[in-house]
């Protein structure tokens, strides 16, 4: 009640406000409220005209809803009855299904019992066939049992699967012992293994074999192949995780290897005299010898048996080799922990292991995907020791090469005469090649790249050592050790460029670019697809440094020769070119007397360069020398002297008949390397009228380029041409 009163007060306050003059609004408010009350009363009155129709519509709607509810109730009751009836029928179906399931279980149990009976019968038949000495039937029954075991591998009947597997192992061991005994007897008849003097008479022995013996050998080999356990049950026993790389070999091969393994163990274990840590080559050589003596016989007599059985996955020769290689790997693996603390023994063992690997791969064609000795050497701790040892011995070898008394002597031979190959250059490249041969068979690119980095480091060390030798004092570079060092640099860089294009180093360049791209890539930056397809070589940076030093030394030698020639040229430069007799006044021209010392020195130096430097270096040197002499003759002779007609003719004779002749021994067009001097001769020996017209044109700067090209001047500038023309005495006197 209080809430209604409060609302009424709020209504009046809202309408009237706080001004007393608004009280006249009460009448209007009263009228408005009265009208609202009448409207409400009319809507609720049953006597009004609108109320009956609305009430009727509402009543009709309620009746319709009530009818629909009754229909739904009736439908639910009917559905309930149907469900009850269906449940009665389903209970009968469940009973039938229970009977069916029970029949299925009984059927499975019966099959289980039948399978057990089959397995037991097969086992009994194997035993009976063994008693009857029917090997063929025995192997057939065994293969049936093997197939059954393979089929049960995916079965949920684990106990049955284990039972069959155990039974299979039992018969496998029993049959293997029986057949192996007979197999060994046959091998004795075949004089297996072929060792000692018998190894050289295998072909004779093969022709003298009893056919019945060979037939029985092939039959037993076939049985042993079929006696092989399923792959699922084969668990090769190895002495270390390293030897897990060796896949098990076929049973016949195991028996064939067994006597060789016994001999290997006898000779290379314990306190035997043949088991020496300083002679690892003995056991490596023995394994290689056995492979050479027996592998071909295995391929000829065992492989056809495997092929006839459809065992396409069996390569008898490779399996035989793998079995013998495993002996060497086991021995190497046992020796390394002992000898790794003795650098000499360790280095010798690694050398022999790599030699063994190389012989296997290259001479005996042992497949690359089969494991061998490098798998042992690339173990982390062994590999670090190995590469450090390589660096140590390579550094010592470099010292020995450079300190040799014959280090800088030239090698003789038609292939090396032009290159002037020194003994130390050949020895250093041999050192690098030896390292390459040692790591060439490593399967992992990362390991090979580490050896490549070692080689690059050795090349840089080699360059630094040569630089240190060049720092020694010498008066005449041409007669010092410098030319031989230069030849060494050039030959080494040339060979490195050739090596960079070989398959081995191209692959390493590819792998190196890949590794560098991966290292530089971030999570947000994708590696470009062609990151490892760039042109180049692994020796690119090393060769660039060698060639930079080579260029520096060539320039130094060329400069020293130029200085010697210039030193002999003083009388020639200061000769009286303005007062020489013309060719008309003398019978014939000859070399200028003042130029003889210079030309003799030049001839001697060119000959010394040719005899001392490799041909490509000599070509660089004499071209540098020609360029410097060309500039020198122009600046120190032509532009600073006055020439009369006789002087001009004499200078041209000296250049064309003497200077060009000296360089003509090494090129067919020597004049092309003295463009400035040749053009100076043209200007000095032009007819007077033509020379004066040319000078006038040059001074007026009228189309100087075309004018000069017309007379054969291409390199000399217009200013220099004017200077040369004004040095002619016949023009000065005009």
């Amino acid at each position: 009640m209080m809430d209604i009163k409060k609302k009424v007060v709020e209504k009046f306050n809202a309408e009237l406000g706080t001004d007393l003059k608004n009280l006249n609004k009460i009448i209007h408010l009263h009228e408005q409220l009265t009208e609202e009350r009448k409207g409400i009363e009319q809507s609720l009155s049953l006597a009004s005209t609108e109320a009956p129709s609305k009430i009727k519509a509402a009543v009709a709607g309620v009746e319709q809803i009530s009818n629909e509810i009754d229909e739904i109730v009736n439908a639910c009751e009917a559905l309930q009855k149907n469900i009850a009836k269906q449940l009665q029928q389903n209970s009968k179906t469940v009973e039938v299904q229970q009977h069916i399931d029970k029949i299925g279980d009984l059927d499975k149990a019966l099959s289980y019992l039948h399978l057990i009976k089959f397995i037991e019968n097969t086992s009994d038949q194997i035993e009976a066939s063994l008693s009857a000495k029917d090997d063929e039937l025995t192997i057939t029954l065994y293969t049936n049992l093997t197939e059954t075991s393979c089929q049960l591998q995916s079965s949920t009947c684990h106990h049955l699967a284990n039972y069959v597997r155990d039974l299979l192992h039992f018969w496998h061991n029993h049959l293997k012992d029986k057949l192996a005994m007979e197999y060994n007897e046959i091998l004795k008849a075949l004089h297996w293994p072929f060792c000692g003097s018998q190894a050289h008479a295998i072909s004779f022995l093969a022709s003298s074999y009893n056919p019945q013996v060979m037939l029985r050998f092939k039959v037993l080999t076939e049985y042993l192949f079929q006696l092989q356990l399923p792959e699922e049950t084969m668990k090769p026993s190895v002495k270390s995780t390293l030897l897990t790389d060796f896949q098990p070999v076929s049973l016949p091969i195991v028996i064939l290897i067994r006597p060789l393994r016994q001999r290997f163990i006898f000779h290379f274990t314990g306190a035997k005299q043949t088991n020496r840590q300083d002679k690892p080559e003995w056991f490596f050589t023995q394994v290689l010898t056995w492979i050479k003596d027996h592998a071909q016989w295995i391929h000829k007599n065992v492989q056809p048996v495997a092929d006839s059985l459809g065992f396409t996955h069996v390569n008898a020769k490779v399996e035989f080799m793998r079995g013998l290689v495993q002996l060497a790997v086991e021995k190497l693996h046992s020796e390394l922990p002992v000898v790794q603390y003795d650098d000499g023994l360790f280095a010798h063992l690694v050398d022999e292991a790599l030699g063994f690997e190389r012989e296997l791969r290259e001479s005996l064609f042992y497949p690359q995907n089969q494991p061998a000795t490098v798998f042992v050497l690339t173990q982390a701790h062994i590999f670090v020791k190995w590469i450090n040892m390589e660096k140590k011995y390579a550094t010592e070898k470099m010292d020995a090469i450079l300190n040799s008394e014959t280090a800088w002597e030239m090698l003789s031979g038609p292939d090396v005469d032009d290159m002037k190959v020194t003994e130390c250059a050949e020895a250093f490249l041999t050192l690098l090649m030896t390292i390459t041969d040692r790591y060439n068979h490593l399967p992992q690119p990362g390991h090979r790249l580490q050896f490549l980095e070692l080689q690059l480091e050795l090349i840089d060390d080699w360059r630094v050592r040569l630089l240190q030798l060049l720092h020694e004092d010498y008066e005449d570079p041409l007669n010092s050790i410098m030319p031989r060092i230069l030849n060494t640099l050039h030959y080494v860089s040339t060979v490195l460029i050739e090596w960079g294009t070989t398959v081995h180093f191209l692959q390493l360049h590819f792998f190196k670019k890949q590794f560098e791209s991966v290292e530089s890539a971030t999570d947000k930056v994708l590696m470009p697809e062609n990151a490892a397809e760039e042109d180049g070589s692994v020796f690119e940076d090393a060769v660039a440094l060698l060639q930079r030093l080579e260029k520096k030394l060539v320039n130094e030698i060329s400069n020293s020769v130029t200085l010697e020639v210039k030193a002999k040229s003083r009388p020639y430069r200061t000769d009286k070119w303005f007062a020489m007799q013309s060719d008309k006044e003398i019978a014939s021209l000859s070399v200028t007397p003042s130029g003889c010392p210079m030309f003799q020195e030049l001839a001697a130096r060119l000959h010394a360069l040719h005899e001392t430097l490799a041909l490509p270096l000599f070509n660089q040197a004499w071209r540098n020398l020609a360029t410097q002499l060309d500039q020198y003759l122009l600046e120190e002779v032509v532009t600073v002297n006055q020439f009369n007609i006789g002087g001009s003719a004499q200078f041209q004779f000296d250049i064309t008949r003497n200077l060009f002749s000296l360089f003509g021994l090494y090129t067919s067009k020597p004049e092309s390397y003295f463009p400035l001097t040749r053009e100076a001769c043209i200007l000095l020996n032009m007819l007077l009228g033509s020379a004066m017209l040319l000078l006038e044109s040059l001074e007026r700067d009228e189309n100087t380029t075309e004018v000069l090209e017309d007379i054969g001047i291409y390199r000399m500038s217009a200013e220099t041409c004017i200077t040369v023309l004004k040095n002619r005495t016949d023009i000065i006197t005009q």
Side-chain angles (χ1 to χ4, degrees):
M1 188 68 181
M2 291 300 295
D3 291 339
I4 295 174
K5 183 178 181 180
K6 185 177 180 181
K7 291 181 179 179
V8 171
V9 173
E10 291 176 353
K11 179 72 173 177
F12 274 100
N13 288 333
E15 291 291 339
L16 300 178
T18 58
D19 192 358
L20 295 177
K21 294 180 179 181
N22 291 335
L23 294 177
N24 57 358
K25 292 183 179 180
I26 294 176
I27 299 173
H28 176 70
L29 181 60
H30 181 267
E31 292 176 355
Q32 181 180 353
L33 293 175
T34 303
E35 291 295 330
E36 289 180 359
R37 188 184 66 179
K38 289 181 180 180
I40 293 173
E41 288 176 350
Q42 287 179 358
S43 64
L44 295 175
S45 177
L46 294 173
S48 66
T49 59
E50 296 180 358
S53 61
K54 293 182 178 179
I55 293 173
K56 288 180 181 179
V59 171
V62 172
E63 289 178 352
Q64 183 180 356
I65 292 172
S66 178
N67 293 334
E68 290 178 356
I69 290 173
D70 291 339
E71 292 176 359
I72 292 173
V73 170
N74 293 333
C76 289
E77 291 176 352
L79 180 61
Q80 187 175 6
K81 292 178 181 179
N82 290 333
I83 290 173
K85 186 184 294 184
Q86 196 69 29
L87 288 173
Q88 292 178 357
Q89 294 177 356
N90 286 344
S91 63
K92 296 180 181 179
T93 304
V94 170
E95 292 177 1
V96 174
Q97 185 63 43
Q98 290 175 352
H99 290 299
I100 293 175
D101 292 341
K102 188 174 182 179
I103 292 171
D105 293 339
L106 292 173
D107 186 57
K108 290 179 180 179
L110 184 61
S111 299
Y112 193 90
L113 293 174
H114 280 313
L115 184 57
I116 291 176
K117 185 177 180 181
F118 168 76
I119 294 170
E120 290 179 347
N121 288 339
T122 302
S123 180
D124 293 340
Q125 289 175 1
I126 291 175
E127 185 176 4
S129 61
L130 278 174
S131 301
K133 297 183 179 181
D134 190 346
D135 293 339
E136 184 176 0
L137 178 59
T138 302
I139 295 300
T140 302
L141 293 170
Y142 174 82
T143 55
N144 293 338
L145 190 62
T146 301
E147 293 175 0
T148 304
S149 178
C150 293
Q151 293 171 358
L152 289 174
Q153 292 301 316
S154 59
S155 172
T156 57
C157 302
H158 301 298
H159 295 293
L160 180 60
N162 292 334
Y163 169 71
V164 176
R165 184 166 59 250
D166 293 341
L167 184 63
L168 184 66
H169 274 272
F170 168 78
W171 285 119
H172 173 268
N173 293 332
H174 187 76
L175 294 175
K176 182 178 68 173
D177 293 340
K178 175 184 179 300
L179 294 177
M181 186 180 299
E182 187 175 352
Y183 204 59
N184 287 328
E185 293 297 326
I186 293 296
L187 292 179
K188 288 180 181 179
L190 295 175
H191 305 286
W192 180 272
F194 311 122
C195 298
S197 59
Q198 293 181 0
H200 302 287
I202 295 177
S203 59
F204 170 76
L205 290 172
S207 62
S208 62
Y209 287 152
N210 187 330
Q212 295 297 325
V213 174
M214 285 302 299
L215 179 61
R216 186 58 182 166
F217 169 79
K218 293 180 179 179
V219 170
L220 287 175
T221 302
E222 180 179 342
Y223 291 163
L224 289 170
F225 271 124
Q226 294 176 310
L227 191 62
Q228 200 82 15
L229 283 171
E231 292 183 359
E232 294 85 353
T233 62
M234 294 204 53
K235 298 178 181 179
S237 59
V238 293
K239 299 178 182 179
S240 71
T241 56
L242 180 72
L243 299 180
T244 55
D245 291 323
F246 287 88
Q247 296 296 322
V249 299
S250 302
L251 188 54
I253 306 300
V254 171
I255 300 175
L256 288 168
I257 291 175
R258 187 175 296 162
L260 297 174
R261 173 180 281 274
Q262 291 173 349
R263 295 186 183 203
F264 187 89
I265 294 173
F266 176 81
H267 287 292
F268 302 112
T269 59
K272 301 294 189 301
Q273 293 183 351
T274 50
N275 183 32
R276 292 174 53 178
Q277 293 179 353
D278 61 335
K279 295 293 183 180
E281 62 270 24
W282 287 358
F283 70 82
F284 282 128
T285 302
Q286 185 62 75
V287 170
L288 290 173
T289 301
W290 284 341
I291 292 175
K292 293 175 183 177
D293 292 345
H294 300 86
Q296 192 60 35
W297 191 92
I298 293 288
H299 179 72
K300 181 179 179 181
N301 295 284
V302 179
Q303 187 62 48
V305 179
D307 295 340
S308 65
L309 293 172
F311 290 0
T312 55
H313 63 282
V314 173
N315 188 325
K317 181 179 178 180
V318 172
E319 288 191 359
F320 179 77
M321 295 173 69
R322 185 168 69 233
L324 292 179
V325 169
Q326 186 172 347
L327 296 176
V329 169
E330 291 174 353
K331 177 64 176 175
L332 175 63
H333 187 56
S334 65
E335 289 290 320
L336 280 172
V338 180
V339 304
Q340 65 176 329
Y341 302 106
D342 187 313
D343 288 347
L345 293 178
F346 181 83
H348 185 49
L349 181 58
V350 170
D351 284 341
E352 294 301 326
L354 293 173
F356 176 78
E357 177 95 13
R358 189 181 307 110
E359 181 76 10
L360 276 177
R361 305 292 187 189
E362 297 177 359
S363 299
L364 300 179
F365 306 104
Y366 187 59
Q368 292 292 336
N369 61 346
Q370 296 294 330
T373 52
V374 294
F375 285 86
V376 185
L377 298 178
T378 51
Q379 297 176 96
H381 64 289
I382 298 297
F383 186 77
V384 171
K385 171 73 175 178
W386 175 18
I387 202 164
N388 289 334
M389 180 204 67
E390 290 282 354
K391 182 177 180 180
K392 172 186 174 183
Y393 281 97
T395 304
E396 293 177 355
K397 182 65 175 177
M398 275 202 303
D399 291 337
I401 291 172
L402 291 173
N403 293 329
S404 172
E405 295 181 356
T406 59
W408 304 109
E409 291 186 1
M410 301 289 185
L411 299 180
S412 60
D415 298 331
V416 296
D417 283 349
D418 288 342
M419 296 297 290
K420 302 293 191 297
V421 181
T422 60
E423 183 180 302
C424 68
E426 189 67 28
F428 177 66
L429 290 173
T430 302
L431 173 63
L432 294 180
M433 181 56 70
T434 302
I435 296 175
T436 302
D437 292 340
R438 289 159 72 84
Y439 75 84
N440 189 34
H441 291 291
L442 295 182
Q444 294 298 327
H447 292 147
R448 281 182 276 163
L449 285 176
Q450 291 185 57
F451 270 97
L452 174 63
E453 291 300 323
L454 171 61
Q455 288 180 305
L456 295 176
E457 185 179 344
L458 291 175
I459 293 171
D460 193 61
D461 190 17
W462 175 262
R463 179 183 61 84
V464 172
R465 289 168 186 256
L466 294 182
L467 269 174
Q468 292 173 348
L469 291 175
L470 288 170
H471 289 161
E472 297 179 2
D473 295 332
Y474 48 82
E475 295 181 358
D476 184 0
L478 189 56
N479 294 319
S480 67
I481 198 176
M482 183 184 291
R484 297 174 186 267
I485 292 178
L486 184 53
N487 291 336
T488 300
L489 286 169
H490 179 72
Y491 182 66
V492 170
S493 61
T494 302
V495 174
L496 290 179
I497 292 173
E498 293 177 358
W499 284 0
T501 61
T502 60
V503 175
H504 171 75
F505 288 109
L506 286 176
Q507 289 178 342
L508 288 181
H509 179 64
F510 173 79
F511 291 132
K512 185 177 181 181
K513 289 297 181 183
Q514 278 194 328
F515 278 116
E516 290 174 353
S517 300
V518 170
E519 290 176 357
S520 61
T522 62
D523 295 336
K524 296 182 180 179
V525 180
L526 296 177
M527 184 180 9
E529 295 181 357
N530 60 348
E533 297 179 1
E534 302 175 1
D535 295 333
S537 164
V538 292
F539 299 112
E540 188 172 5
D541 294 337
V543 169
L545 291 175
L546 293 176
Q547 290 181 339
R548 184 185 304 172
L549 178 58
E550 173 189 319
K551 183 177 180 180
K552 176 184 176 183
L553 296 182
V554 168
N555 290 335
E556 190 170 339
I557 288 180
S558 301
N559 293 340
S560 70
V561 172
T562 303
L563 289 175
E564 293 294 331
V565 174
K566 288 179 179 179
K568 301 289 185 179
S569 67
R570 187 175 181 281
Y572 189 73
R573 288 187 289 111
T574 58
D575 208 341
K576 297 179 181 181
W577 298 100
F578 59 87
M580 289 189 177
Q581 292 180 322
S582 66
D583 53 351
K584 296 179 180 179
E585 299 174 350
I586 56 178
S588 62
L589 291 174
S590 60
V591 63
T592 305
S594 61
C596 289
M598 179 184 71
F599 289 124
Q600 287 177 353
E601 183 68 20
L602 177 60
R605 291 289 173 169
L606 282 174
H607 179 73
L609 285 173
H610 186 261
E611 292 295 320
T612 306
L613 295 180
L615 185 58
L617 296 173
F618 170 69
N619 290 333
Q620 294 180 43
W622 73 254
R623 288 187 178 97
N624 289 346
L625 177 60
T627 300
Q628 294 183 58
L629 287 179
D630 186 39
Q631 190 73 31
Y632 175 73
L633 290 173
L634 175 66
E635 295 177 352
E636 300 297 330
V637 178
V638 177
T639 60
V640 298
N641 285 289
Q642 302 292 322
F643 290 84
N644 64 358
I645 295 176
S648 299
Q650 183 64 53
F651 181 75
Q652 183 175 21
F653 179 84
D654 292 341
I655 298 301
T656 57
R657 295 298 182 89
N658 293 278
L659 183 64
F660 290 173
S661 297
L662 289 177
F663 285 89
L665 297 173
Y666 314 110
T667 178
S668 58
K669 294 183 177 180
E671 63 276 5
S672 61
Y673 296 95
F674 293 88
L676 298 176
T677 307
R678 180 182 60 81
E679 291 172 3
C681 291
I682 293 175
L683 293 174
L684 291 175
N685 289 277
M686 289 178 63
L687 294 176
L688 179 60
S690 299
M692 295 181 67
L693 289 174
L694 176 61
L695 178 60
E696 184 179 354
S697 298
L698 293 175
E699 289 178 338
R700 290 200 305 264
D701 195 17
E702 297 178 353
N703 299 324
T704 56
T705 302
E706 295 181 3
V707 172
L708 291 175
E709 289 180 354
D710 287 341
I711 61 173
I713 308 297
Y714 300 96
R715 294 286 299 277
M716 193 178 295
S717 65
E719 292 78 7
T720 306
C721 291
I722 293 173
T723 301
V724 173
L725 290 172
K726 287 183 176 182
N727 283 345
R728 290 178 52 159
T729 56
D730 54 352
I731 292 181
I732 298 174
T733 57
Q734 295 296 321

